[in-house]
Short mmCIF file of all heavy atoms in Angstrom, two decimals:
data_model
loop_
_atom_site.label_atom_id
_atom_site.label_comp_id
_atom_site.label_asym_id
_atom_site.label_seq_id
_atom_site.Cartn_x
_atom_site.Cartn_y
_atom_site.Cartn_z
N MET A 345 -13.91 -5.22 -15.39
CA MET A 345 -14.46 -4.65 -14.16
C MET A 345 -13.32 -4.13 -13.22
O MET A 345 -12.31 -4.75 -13.16
CB MET A 345 -15.23 -5.74 -13.36
CG MET A 345 -15.79 -5.13 -12.08
SD MET A 345 -16.75 -6.38 -11.21
CE MET A 345 -18.36 -6.37 -12.05
N LEU A 346 -13.54 -3.03 -12.52
CA LEU A 346 -12.56 -2.41 -11.73
C LEU A 346 -12.61 -3.11 -10.38
O LEU A 346 -13.63 -3.52 -9.90
CB LEU A 346 -12.79 -0.95 -11.54
CG LEU A 346 -12.62 -0.05 -12.76
CD1 LEU A 346 -13.06 1.39 -12.38
CD2 LEU A 346 -11.32 -0.08 -13.27
N LYS A 347 -11.43 -3.20 -9.76
CA LYS A 347 -11.45 -3.65 -8.35
C LYS A 347 -12.02 -2.62 -7.52
O LYS A 347 -12.04 -1.37 -7.84
CB LYS A 347 -10.10 -3.98 -7.98
CG LYS A 347 -9.41 -5.17 -8.59
CD LYS A 347 -8.05 -5.46 -8.06
CE LYS A 347 -7.45 -6.64 -8.84
NZ LYS A 347 -6.20 -7.15 -8.20
N ASN A 348 -12.54 -3.03 -6.31
CA ASN A 348 -13.22 -2.10 -5.38
C ASN A 348 -12.26 -0.97 -5.03
O ASN A 348 -12.73 0.20 -4.93
CB ASN A 348 -13.66 -2.81 -4.19
CG ASN A 348 -14.99 -3.63 -4.41
OD1 ASN A 348 -15.66 -3.44 -5.40
ND2 ASN A 348 -15.28 -4.48 -3.50
N ALA A 349 -11.04 -1.28 -4.75
CA ALA A 349 -10.05 -0.23 -4.32
C ALA A 349 -9.95 0.88 -5.39
O ALA A 349 -9.86 2.05 -5.07
CB ALA A 349 -8.66 -0.84 -4.07
N THR A 350 -9.90 0.40 -6.69
CA THR A 350 -9.75 1.34 -7.76
C THR A 350 -10.99 2.23 -7.94
O THR A 350 -10.93 3.44 -8.07
CB THR A 350 -9.51 0.71 -9.11
OG1 THR A 350 -8.37 -0.20 -8.94
CG2 THR A 350 -9.17 1.58 -10.23
N TYR A 351 -12.11 1.54 -7.87
CA TYR A 351 -13.40 2.26 -7.92
C TYR A 351 -13.55 3.32 -6.80
O TYR A 351 -13.99 4.40 -7.13
CB TYR A 351 -14.53 1.34 -7.94
CG TYR A 351 -15.86 1.90 -8.00
CD1 TYR A 351 -16.42 2.31 -9.22
CD2 TYR A 351 -16.53 2.21 -6.82
CE1 TYR A 351 -17.67 2.95 -9.21
CE2 TYR A 351 -17.75 2.97 -6.83
CZ TYR A 351 -18.39 3.32 -7.99
OH TYR A 351 -19.56 3.89 -8.15
N ASN A 352 -13.24 2.85 -5.61
CA ASN A 352 -13.27 3.85 -4.49
C ASN A 352 -12.36 5.07 -4.67
O ASN A 352 -12.91 6.15 -4.28
CB ASN A 352 -12.99 3.05 -3.13
CG ASN A 352 -13.99 2.04 -2.83
OD1 ASN A 352 -15.04 1.96 -3.35
ND2 ASN A 352 -13.50 0.97 -1.97
N LEU A 353 -11.25 4.78 -5.18
CA LEU A 353 -10.41 5.98 -5.40
C LEU A 353 -11.00 6.94 -6.56
O LEU A 353 -10.96 8.11 -6.37
CB LEU A 353 -9.02 5.44 -5.90
CG LEU A 353 -8.16 4.88 -4.76
CD1 LEU A 353 -6.95 4.18 -5.43
CD2 LEU A 353 -7.60 5.92 -3.76
N MET A 354 -11.52 6.35 -7.56
CA MET A 354 -12.08 7.11 -8.61
C MET A 354 -13.37 7.85 -8.13
O MET A 354 -13.54 9.10 -8.50
CB MET A 354 -12.41 6.24 -9.75
CG MET A 354 -11.17 5.72 -10.49
SD MET A 354 -11.58 4.55 -11.86
CE MET A 354 -12.40 5.79 -12.94
N GLU A 355 -14.15 7.25 -7.38
CA GLU A 355 -15.33 7.87 -6.77
C GLU A 355 -14.98 9.04 -5.90
O GLU A 355 -15.55 10.01 -5.89
CB GLU A 355 -16.12 6.80 -6.00
CG GLU A 355 -17.40 7.35 -5.37
CD GLU A 355 -18.47 7.70 -6.36
OE1 GLU A 355 -18.46 7.30 -7.57
OE2 GLU A 355 -19.43 8.49 -6.04
N THR A 356 -13.99 8.82 -5.07
CA THR A 356 -13.48 9.92 -4.19
C THR A 356 -12.94 11.06 -4.92
O THR A 356 -13.26 12.23 -4.69
CB THR A 356 -12.42 9.31 -3.25
OG1 THR A 356 -12.93 8.33 -2.49
CG2 THR A 356 -11.87 10.48 -2.35
N ALA A 357 -12.17 10.80 -6.00
CA ALA A 357 -11.67 11.82 -6.82
C ALA A 357 -12.77 12.61 -7.51
O ALA A 357 -12.77 13.89 -7.65
CB ALA A 357 -10.75 11.23 -7.93
N THR A 358 -13.79 11.98 -7.92
CA THR A 358 -15.01 12.64 -8.50
C THR A 358 -15.62 13.49 -7.48
O THR A 358 -16.09 14.68 -7.91
CB THR A 358 -15.99 11.50 -9.08
OG1 THR A 358 -15.38 10.78 -10.07
CG2 THR A 358 -17.25 12.13 -9.65
N VAL A 359 -15.86 13.10 -6.32
CA VAL A 359 -16.49 13.88 -5.30
C VAL A 359 -15.58 15.17 -5.00
O VAL A 359 -16.10 16.26 -4.95
CB VAL A 359 -16.76 13.11 -4.03
CG1 VAL A 359 -17.15 13.95 -2.84
CG2 VAL A 359 -17.72 12.07 -4.20
N ILE A 360 -14.35 14.92 -4.89
CA ILE A 360 -13.46 16.09 -4.66
C ILE A 360 -13.43 17.07 -5.78
O ILE A 360 -13.56 18.28 -5.69
CB ILE A 360 -11.99 15.60 -4.37
CG1 ILE A 360 -11.96 14.86 -3.05
CG2 ILE A 360 -11.04 16.82 -4.41
CD1 ILE A 360 -10.66 14.09 -2.83
N SER A 361 -13.45 16.58 -7.06
CA SER A 361 -13.54 17.46 -8.31
C SER A 361 -14.79 18.24 -8.36
O SER A 361 -14.72 19.40 -8.66
CB SER A 361 -13.35 16.50 -9.51
OG SER A 361 -13.31 17.34 -10.66
N LYS A 362 -15.91 17.58 -7.90
CA LYS A 362 -17.13 18.35 -7.89
C LYS A 362 -17.06 19.45 -6.91
O LYS A 362 -17.69 20.58 -7.14
CB LYS A 362 -18.25 17.39 -7.61
CG LYS A 362 -18.60 16.47 -8.81
CD LYS A 362 -19.78 15.55 -8.49
CE LYS A 362 -20.14 14.65 -9.67
NZ LYS A 362 -21.23 13.82 -9.46
N ALA A 363 -16.64 19.20 -5.77
CA ALA A 363 -16.44 20.17 -4.73
C ALA A 363 -15.59 21.33 -5.18
O ALA A 363 -15.98 22.56 -5.01
CB ALA A 363 -15.84 19.66 -3.43
N LEU A 364 -14.48 20.92 -5.87
CA LEU A 364 -13.55 22.08 -6.33
C LEU A 364 -14.26 22.98 -7.27
O LEU A 364 -14.00 24.16 -7.29
CB LEU A 364 -12.38 21.47 -7.08
CG LEU A 364 -11.23 20.89 -6.06
CD1 LEU A 364 -10.26 20.07 -6.88
CD2 LEU A 364 -10.57 22.03 -5.36
N HIS A 365 -15.14 22.44 -8.11
CA HIS A 365 -15.95 23.14 -9.06
C HIS A 365 -16.89 24.17 -8.36
O HIS A 365 -17.22 25.23 -8.90
CB HIS A 365 -16.76 22.21 -10.02
CG HIS A 365 -17.54 22.92 -10.95
ND1 HIS A 365 -17.09 23.57 -12.01
CD2 HIS A 365 -18.88 23.11 -11.00
CE1 HIS A 365 -17.98 24.03 -12.78
NE2 HIS A 365 -19.12 23.83 -12.16
N ARG A 366 -17.30 23.81 -7.08
CA ARG A 366 -18.24 24.65 -6.43
C ARG A 366 -17.67 25.74 -5.47
O ARG A 366 -18.34 26.67 -5.05
CB ARG A 366 -19.23 23.74 -5.67
CG ARG A 366 -20.02 22.96 -6.60
CD ARG A 366 -21.07 22.16 -5.85
NE ARG A 366 -21.90 21.33 -6.70
CZ ARG A 366 -21.75 20.03 -6.88
NH1 ARG A 366 -20.84 19.37 -6.35
NH2 ARG A 366 -22.51 19.38 -7.83
N TYR A 367 -16.41 25.49 -5.03
CA TYR A 367 -15.89 26.42 -3.98
C TYR A 367 -15.89 27.87 -4.32
O TYR A 367 -16.10 28.68 -3.42
CB TYR A 367 -14.37 26.00 -3.60
CG TYR A 367 -14.36 24.69 -2.75
CD1 TYR A 367 -13.39 23.78 -3.03
CD2 TYR A 367 -15.21 24.45 -1.81
CE1 TYR A 367 -13.30 22.62 -2.30
CE2 TYR A 367 -15.23 23.32 -0.95
CZ TYR A 367 -14.24 22.38 -1.24
OH TYR A 367 -14.21 21.31 -0.52
N ASP A 368 -15.62 28.26 -5.55
CA ASP A 368 -15.71 29.65 -5.91
C ASP A 368 -17.13 30.19 -5.78
O ASP A 368 -17.32 31.37 -5.27
CB ASP A 368 -15.24 29.87 -7.43
CG ASP A 368 -13.75 29.63 -7.50
OD1 ASP A 368 -13.01 29.82 -6.47
OD2 ASP A 368 -13.30 29.31 -8.64
N THR A 369 -18.15 29.36 -6.11
CA THR A 369 -19.44 29.84 -5.83
C THR A 369 -19.86 29.97 -4.27
O THR A 369 -20.40 30.91 -3.89
CB THR A 369 -20.51 28.90 -6.50
OG1 THR A 369 -20.23 28.75 -7.83
CG2 THR A 369 -21.94 29.17 -6.20
N PHE A 370 -19.35 28.97 -3.59
CA PHE A 370 -19.58 29.05 -2.12
C PHE A 370 -18.85 30.26 -1.53
O PHE A 370 -19.48 31.04 -0.66
CB PHE A 370 -18.96 27.84 -1.44
CG PHE A 370 -19.58 26.55 -1.77
CD1 PHE A 370 -18.97 25.30 -1.48
CD2 PHE A 370 -20.84 26.48 -2.44
CE1 PHE A 370 -19.58 24.10 -1.94
CE2 PHE A 370 -21.46 25.30 -2.77
CZ PHE A 370 -20.80 24.06 -2.49
N LYS A 371 -17.65 30.57 -2.02
CA LYS A 371 -16.99 31.78 -1.65
C LYS A 371 -17.79 33.10 -1.91
O LYS A 371 -17.92 33.98 -1.09
CB LYS A 371 -15.56 31.83 -2.14
CG LYS A 371 -14.72 32.88 -1.62
CD LYS A 371 -13.24 32.92 -2.19
CE LYS A 371 -12.53 34.01 -1.73
NZ LYS A 371 -11.07 34.02 -2.23
N LYS A 372 -18.20 33.11 -3.11
CA LYS A 372 -18.96 34.28 -3.54
C LYS A 372 -20.29 34.40 -2.60
O LYS A 372 -20.66 35.54 -2.27
CB LYS A 372 -19.41 34.17 -4.98
CG LYS A 372 -20.21 35.36 -5.61
CD LYS A 372 -20.49 35.06 -7.02
CE LYS A 372 -21.39 36.23 -7.54
NZ LYS A 372 -21.90 35.95 -8.87
N ASP A 373 -20.92 33.33 -2.42
CA ASP A 373 -22.11 33.26 -1.60
C ASP A 373 -21.95 33.67 -0.15
O ASP A 373 -22.82 34.21 0.57
CB ASP A 373 -22.81 31.93 -1.69
CG ASP A 373 -23.42 31.57 -2.94
OD1 ASP A 373 -23.53 32.44 -3.87
OD2 ASP A 373 -23.79 30.38 -3.13
N SER A 374 -20.64 33.60 0.28
CA SER A 374 -20.37 33.92 1.67
C SER A 374 -20.40 35.43 1.88
O SER A 374 -20.30 35.90 2.98
CB SER A 374 -19.01 33.33 2.08
OG SER A 374 -17.99 33.93 1.49
N GLY A 375 -20.51 36.23 0.80
CA GLY A 375 -20.63 37.68 0.90
C GLY A 375 -19.32 38.33 1.55
O GLY A 375 -18.26 37.99 1.07
N ASP A 376 -19.52 39.07 2.55
CA ASP A 376 -18.48 39.88 3.11
C ASP A 376 -17.90 39.15 4.39
O ASP A 376 -17.19 39.70 5.10
CB ASP A 376 -18.90 41.30 3.38
CG ASP A 376 -20.05 41.29 4.54
OD1 ASP A 376 -20.56 40.39 4.80
OD2 ASP A 376 -20.37 42.44 4.92
N CYS A 377 -18.23 37.91 4.55
CA CYS A 377 -17.75 37.09 5.70
C CYS A 377 -16.33 36.59 5.39
O CYS A 377 -16.25 35.58 4.66
CB CYS A 377 -18.64 36.00 6.15
SG CYS A 377 -17.99 35.11 7.55
N GLN A 378 -15.42 37.35 5.95
CA GLN A 378 -13.98 36.93 5.68
C GLN A 378 -13.67 35.56 6.10
O GLN A 378 -12.91 34.80 5.50
CB GLN A 378 -12.99 38.02 6.28
CG GLN A 378 -13.18 39.42 5.62
CD GLN A 378 -12.54 39.35 4.15
OE1 GLN A 378 -12.42 38.36 3.50
NE2 GLN A 378 -12.22 40.54 3.77
N HIS A 379 -14.12 35.23 7.32
CA HIS A 379 -13.88 33.93 7.75
C HIS A 379 -14.41 32.87 6.84
O HIS A 379 -13.62 31.78 6.60
CB HIS A 379 -14.43 33.78 9.24
CG HIS A 379 -14.16 32.48 9.90
ND1 HIS A 379 -12.79 32.17 10.25
CD2 HIS A 379 -14.79 31.29 10.13
CE1 HIS A 379 -12.82 30.89 10.87
NE2 HIS A 379 -14.00 30.39 10.75
N CYS A 380 -15.57 32.91 6.41
CA CYS A 380 -16.21 31.94 5.49
C CYS A 380 -15.29 31.96 4.23
O CYS A 380 -14.97 30.78 3.67
CB CYS A 380 -17.50 32.36 5.05
SG CYS A 380 -18.85 32.07 6.32
N GLN A 381 -14.86 33.07 3.68
CA GLN A 381 -13.98 33.05 2.56
C GLN A 381 -12.71 32.29 2.80
O GLN A 381 -12.22 31.54 1.86
CB GLN A 381 -13.85 34.48 2.06
CG GLN A 381 -15.01 35.10 1.51
CD GLN A 381 -14.85 36.57 0.96
OE1 GLN A 381 -13.78 37.00 0.88
NE2 GLN A 381 -15.98 37.24 0.80
N GLN A 382 -12.15 32.52 3.98
CA GLN A 382 -10.90 31.80 4.24
C GLN A 382 -11.08 30.33 4.36
O GLN A 382 -10.17 29.53 3.97
CB GLN A 382 -10.26 32.40 5.59
CG GLN A 382 -9.83 33.74 5.46
CD GLN A 382 -9.40 34.35 6.92
OE1 GLN A 382 -9.75 33.69 7.93
NE2 GLN A 382 -8.79 35.57 6.81
N VAL A 383 -12.22 29.90 4.96
CA VAL A 383 -12.55 28.45 5.08
C VAL A 383 -12.61 27.88 3.67
O VAL A 383 -12.06 26.86 3.40
CB VAL A 383 -13.84 28.28 5.86
CG1 VAL A 383 -14.34 26.87 5.68
CG2 VAL A 383 -13.72 28.67 7.40
N TRP A 384 -13.37 28.49 2.70
CA TRP A 384 -13.50 27.97 1.34
C TRP A 384 -12.09 28.00 0.72
O TRP A 384 -11.88 26.98 -0.01
CB TRP A 384 -14.54 28.82 0.64
CG TRP A 384 -15.88 28.68 1.11
CD1 TRP A 384 -16.78 29.65 1.49
CD2 TRP A 384 -16.62 27.50 1.28
NE1 TRP A 384 -17.93 29.19 1.95
CE2 TRP A 384 -17.87 27.78 1.90
CE3 TRP A 384 -16.36 26.08 1.16
CZ2 TRP A 384 -18.89 26.78 2.23
CZ3 TRP A 384 -17.37 25.16 1.45
CH2 TRP A 384 -18.59 25.48 2.08
N ASP A 385 -11.35 29.03 0.84
CA ASP A 385 -9.96 28.98 0.29
C ASP A 385 -9.09 27.87 0.80
O ASP A 385 -8.48 27.16 -0.04
CB ASP A 385 -9.27 30.40 0.50
CG ASP A 385 -9.83 31.50 -0.38
OD1 ASP A 385 -10.47 31.15 -1.35
OD2 ASP A 385 -9.54 32.67 0.04
N HIS A 386 -9.23 27.57 2.12
CA HIS A 386 -8.51 26.62 2.64
C HIS A 386 -8.90 25.17 2.19
O HIS A 386 -8.10 24.40 1.89
CB HIS A 386 -8.65 26.60 4.17
CG HIS A 386 -7.86 25.54 4.98
ND1 HIS A 386 -6.51 25.48 5.14
CD2 HIS A 386 -8.36 24.35 5.50
CE1 HIS A 386 -6.23 24.34 5.67
NE2 HIS A 386 -7.32 23.65 5.98
N MET A 387 -10.18 24.99 2.06
CA MET A 387 -10.79 23.73 1.58
C MET A 387 -10.43 23.50 0.19
O MET A 387 -10.11 22.42 -0.20
CB MET A 387 -12.28 23.65 1.90
CG MET A 387 -12.61 23.57 3.43
SD MET A 387 -14.40 23.44 3.72
CE MET A 387 -14.79 21.85 3.02
N LYS A 388 -10.49 24.52 -0.61
CA LYS A 388 -10.17 24.32 -2.05
C LYS A 388 -8.71 23.99 -2.24
O LYS A 388 -8.41 23.03 -2.96
CB LYS A 388 -10.38 25.67 -2.71
CG LYS A 388 -10.07 25.65 -4.22
CD LYS A 388 -10.46 26.92 -4.95
CE LYS A 388 -10.19 26.96 -6.45
NZ LYS A 388 -10.53 28.11 -7.10
N LYS A 389 -7.80 24.67 -1.46
CA LYS A 389 -6.37 24.35 -1.53
C LYS A 389 -6.15 22.85 -1.09
O LYS A 389 -5.41 22.23 -1.79
CB LYS A 389 -5.59 25.25 -0.72
CG LYS A 389 -4.04 25.01 -0.81
CD LYS A 389 -3.18 26.02 -0.04
CE LYS A 389 -1.84 25.72 -0.23
NZ LYS A 389 -0.97 26.22 0.81
N ALA A 390 -6.77 22.49 0.06
CA ALA A 390 -6.58 21.15 0.55
C ALA A 390 -7.06 20.03 -0.44
O ALA A 390 -6.42 19.07 -0.66
CB ALA A 390 -7.31 20.99 1.87
N ASP A 391 -8.20 20.34 -1.04
CA ASP A 391 -8.68 19.33 -2.06
C ASP A 391 -7.91 19.34 -3.28
O ASP A 391 -7.84 18.28 -3.89
CB ASP A 391 -10.25 19.75 -2.35
CG ASP A 391 -11.22 19.23 -1.29
OD1 ASP A 391 -10.73 18.57 -0.34
OD2 ASP A 391 -12.39 19.48 -1.38
N GLU A 392 -7.41 20.51 -3.71
CA GLU A 392 -6.48 20.48 -4.92
C GLU A 392 -5.20 19.60 -4.67
O GLU A 392 -4.88 18.88 -5.52
CB GLU A 392 -6.08 21.91 -5.31
CG GLU A 392 -7.14 22.80 -5.79
CD GLU A 392 -6.82 24.20 -6.09
OE1 GLU A 392 -5.99 24.72 -5.34
OE2 GLU A 392 -7.44 24.92 -6.95
N GLU A 393 -4.67 19.71 -3.48
CA GLU A 393 -3.55 18.92 -2.99
C GLU A 393 -3.96 17.44 -2.98
O GLU A 393 -3.22 16.60 -3.46
CB GLU A 393 -2.99 19.42 -1.79
CG GLU A 393 -2.38 20.76 -1.90
CD GLU A 393 -1.89 21.29 -0.43
OE1 GLU A 393 -2.14 20.75 0.51
OE2 GLU A 393 -1.43 22.45 -0.52
N LEU A 394 -5.08 17.20 -2.44
CA LEU A 394 -5.51 15.77 -2.31
C LEU A 394 -5.77 15.17 -3.70
O LEU A 394 -5.31 14.07 -3.98
CB LEU A 394 -6.73 15.81 -1.49
CG LEU A 394 -7.26 14.33 -1.17
CD1 LEU A 394 -6.24 13.45 -0.47
CD2 LEU A 394 -8.51 14.42 -0.24
N LEU A 395 -6.41 15.90 -4.57
CA LEU A 395 -6.70 15.44 -5.86
C LEU A 395 -5.41 15.17 -6.65
O LEU A 395 -5.23 14.14 -7.39
CB LEU A 395 -7.61 16.32 -6.59
CG LEU A 395 -8.15 15.86 -8.00
CD1 LEU A 395 -8.99 14.57 -7.78
CD2 LEU A 395 -9.00 16.95 -8.54
N ALA A 396 -4.39 16.02 -6.42
CA ALA A 396 -3.11 15.92 -7.05
C ALA A 396 -2.37 14.62 -6.64
O ALA A 396 -1.64 14.04 -7.38
CB ALA A 396 -2.22 17.08 -6.84
N ARG A 397 -2.65 14.28 -5.42
CA ARG A 397 -2.05 13.04 -4.82
C ARG A 397 -2.87 11.78 -5.33
O ARG A 397 -2.21 10.71 -5.56
CB ARG A 397 -2.04 13.07 -3.36
CG ARG A 397 -1.05 13.98 -2.70
CD ARG A 397 -1.03 13.87 -1.14
NE ARG A 397 -0.45 12.57 -0.83
CZ ARG A 397 -0.62 12.07 0.40
NH1 ARG A 397 -1.14 12.81 1.39
NH2 ARG A 397 -0.07 10.88 0.73
N LEU A 398 -4.13 11.93 -5.44
CA LEU A 398 -4.95 10.80 -5.84
C LEU A 398 -4.81 10.43 -7.32
O LEU A 398 -4.71 9.16 -7.61
CB LEU A 398 -6.40 11.17 -5.58
CG LEU A 398 -7.11 10.86 -4.29
CD1 LEU A 398 -8.49 11.29 -4.27
CD2 LEU A 398 -6.98 9.36 -3.95
N ALA A 399 -4.66 11.40 -8.19
CA ALA A 399 -4.63 11.11 -9.59
C ALA A 399 -3.54 10.12 -10.06
O ALA A 399 -3.90 9.11 -10.71
CB ALA A 399 -4.52 12.38 -10.40
N PRO A 400 -2.31 10.31 -9.62
CA PRO A 400 -1.30 9.39 -10.14
C PRO A 400 -1.53 7.93 -9.45
O PRO A 400 -1.19 6.97 -9.99
CB PRO A 400 0.02 9.98 -9.56
CG PRO A 400 -0.24 11.11 -8.84
CD PRO A 400 -1.76 11.43 -8.91
N HIS A 401 -2.11 7.94 -8.21
CA HIS A 401 -2.33 6.66 -7.53
C HIS A 401 -3.41 5.98 -8.27
O HIS A 401 -3.38 4.68 -8.44
CB HIS A 401 -2.67 6.87 -6.02
CG HIS A 401 -2.63 5.63 -5.24
ND1 HIS A 401 -1.45 4.86 -5.10
CD2 HIS A 401 -3.58 4.92 -4.65
CE1 HIS A 401 -1.78 3.75 -4.41
NE2 HIS A 401 -3.04 3.82 -4.05
N ILE A 402 -4.40 6.59 -8.71
CA ILE A 402 -5.48 5.95 -9.49
C ILE A 402 -4.96 5.35 -10.76
O ILE A 402 -5.23 4.25 -10.98
CB ILE A 402 -6.58 7.05 -9.76
CG1 ILE A 402 -7.33 7.43 -8.56
CG2 ILE A 402 -7.54 6.49 -10.89
CD1 ILE A 402 -8.28 8.62 -8.75
N ARG A 403 -3.98 6.17 -11.43
CA ARG A 403 -3.36 5.68 -12.60
C ARG A 403 -2.67 4.31 -12.37
O ARG A 403 -2.73 3.34 -13.08
CB ARG A 403 -2.40 6.69 -13.11
CG ARG A 403 -1.52 6.18 -14.23
CD ARG A 403 -2.09 5.54 -15.51
NE ARG A 403 -3.13 6.21 -16.05
CZ ARG A 403 -4.13 5.58 -16.78
NH1 ARG A 403 -4.05 4.35 -17.01
NH2 ARG A 403 -5.16 6.31 -17.38
N GLU A 404 -1.94 4.22 -11.19
CA GLU A 404 -1.24 3.04 -10.73
C GLU A 404 -2.18 1.89 -10.60
O GLU A 404 -1.92 0.74 -11.15
CB GLU A 404 -0.51 3.13 -9.42
CG GLU A 404 0.78 4.03 -9.52
CD GLU A 404 1.27 4.32 -8.17
OE1 GLU A 404 1.07 3.48 -7.24
OE2 GLU A 404 2.09 5.36 -8.08
N HIS A 405 -3.33 2.08 -10.01
CA HIS A 405 -4.41 1.05 -9.85
C HIS A 405 -4.98 0.60 -11.22
O HIS A 405 -5.13 -0.59 -11.48
CB HIS A 405 -5.46 1.51 -8.88
CG HIS A 405 -5.19 1.32 -7.46
ND1 HIS A 405 -5.60 0.22 -6.76
CD2 HIS A 405 -4.43 2.02 -6.63
CE1 HIS A 405 -5.19 0.31 -5.49
NE2 HIS A 405 -4.45 1.37 -5.43
N LEU A 406 -5.20 1.64 -11.98
CA LEU A 406 -5.83 1.27 -13.33
C LEU A 406 -4.78 0.42 -14.13
O LEU A 406 -5.24 -0.49 -14.87
CB LEU A 406 -6.20 2.52 -14.16
CG LEU A 406 -7.42 3.36 -13.59
CD1 LEU A 406 -7.51 4.69 -14.29
CD2 LEU A 406 -8.66 2.50 -13.78
N ASP A 407 -3.54 0.77 -14.11
CA ASP A 407 -2.48 0.04 -14.81
C ASP A 407 -2.36 -1.41 -14.29
O ASP A 407 -2.29 -2.34 -15.03
CB ASP A 407 -1.12 0.74 -14.74
CG ASP A 407 -1.10 2.04 -15.55
OD1 ASP A 407 -2.06 2.21 -16.46
OD2 ASP A 407 -0.11 2.80 -15.34
N LYS A 408 -2.50 -1.43 -12.91
CA LYS A 408 -2.42 -2.79 -12.24
C LYS A 408 -3.65 -3.68 -12.66
O LYS A 408 -3.46 -4.79 -13.01
CB LYS A 408 -2.29 -2.59 -10.86
CG LYS A 408 -2.07 -3.96 -10.03
CD LYS A 408 -1.93 -3.59 -8.60
CE LYS A 408 -1.87 -4.84 -7.75
NZ LYS A 408 -1.86 -4.59 -6.27
N ASP A 409 -4.82 -3.03 -12.63
CA ASP A 409 -6.07 -3.73 -12.97
C ASP A 409 -6.01 -4.25 -14.40
O ASP A 409 -6.41 -5.32 -14.74
CB ASP A 409 -7.28 -2.86 -12.73
CG ASP A 409 -7.57 -2.66 -11.19
OD1 ASP A 409 -6.88 -3.26 -10.42
OD2 ASP A 409 -8.52 -1.92 -11.02
N GLU A 410 -5.58 -3.31 -15.32
CA GLU A 410 -5.38 -3.82 -16.67
C GLU A 410 -4.40 -4.92 -16.87
O GLU A 410 -4.67 -5.85 -17.65
CB GLU A 410 -4.91 -2.53 -17.54
CG GLU A 410 -4.82 -2.81 -18.98
CD GLU A 410 -6.17 -3.18 -19.66
OE1 GLU A 410 -7.21 -2.77 -19.17
OE2 GLU A 410 -6.14 -3.72 -20.76
N GLY A 411 -3.29 -4.84 -16.13
CA GLY A 411 -2.37 -5.93 -16.20
C GLY A 411 -2.89 -7.28 -15.79
O GLY A 411 -2.63 -8.30 -16.31
N VAL A 412 -3.73 -7.30 -14.76
CA VAL A 412 -4.32 -8.48 -14.20
C VAL A 412 -5.36 -8.97 -15.31
O VAL A 412 -5.40 -10.23 -15.59
CB VAL A 412 -5.03 -8.18 -12.91
CG1 VAL A 412 -6.00 -9.40 -12.56
CG2 VAL A 412 -4.07 -7.89 -11.88
N ARG A 413 -6.08 -8.08 -15.89
CA ARG A 413 -6.98 -8.53 -16.99
C ARG A 413 -6.30 -9.19 -18.15
O ARG A 413 -6.79 -10.13 -18.69
CB ARG A 413 -7.80 -7.31 -17.41
CG ARG A 413 -9.26 -7.40 -17.04
CD ARG A 413 -10.20 -6.49 -17.79
NE ARG A 413 -9.59 -5.19 -18.06
CZ ARG A 413 -9.84 -4.05 -17.40
NH1 ARG A 413 -10.62 -4.05 -16.37
NH2 ARG A 413 -9.26 -2.97 -17.74
N LYS A 414 -5.18 -8.60 -18.46
CA LYS A 414 -4.47 -9.12 -19.71
C LYS A 414 -3.85 -10.50 -19.37
O LYS A 414 -3.70 -11.29 -20.26
CB LYS A 414 -3.40 -8.09 -20.09
CG LYS A 414 -3.85 -6.95 -20.91
CD LYS A 414 -2.69 -6.04 -21.35
CE LYS A 414 -3.28 -4.80 -22.02
NZ LYS A 414 -2.14 -3.94 -22.48
N ALA A 415 -3.44 -10.66 -18.12
CA ALA A 415 -2.86 -11.88 -17.75
C ALA A 415 -3.88 -13.05 -17.72
O ALA A 415 -3.52 -14.21 -17.81
CB ALA A 415 -2.12 -11.81 -16.48
N ALA A 416 -5.09 -12.65 -17.51
CA ALA A 416 -6.19 -13.70 -17.33
C ALA A 416 -6.60 -14.41 -18.62
O ALA A 416 -6.37 -13.99 -19.75
CB ALA A 416 -7.38 -13.00 -16.66
#
């Protein structure tokens, strides 16, 4: 079983990943509104950076959780 902290990180990464998958559609749906397109571009970039930070930290938690399980 995963610790809550690990699960929460994974859940957050999943939500961010799903948003990243949709941003291009949202941008397309914004039509000719340049401001909307800029907002979606900004959010996509910010989420890509956040996911890039989360992924290695999740790995650390998974490795730590595995180590605890093996020691038990």
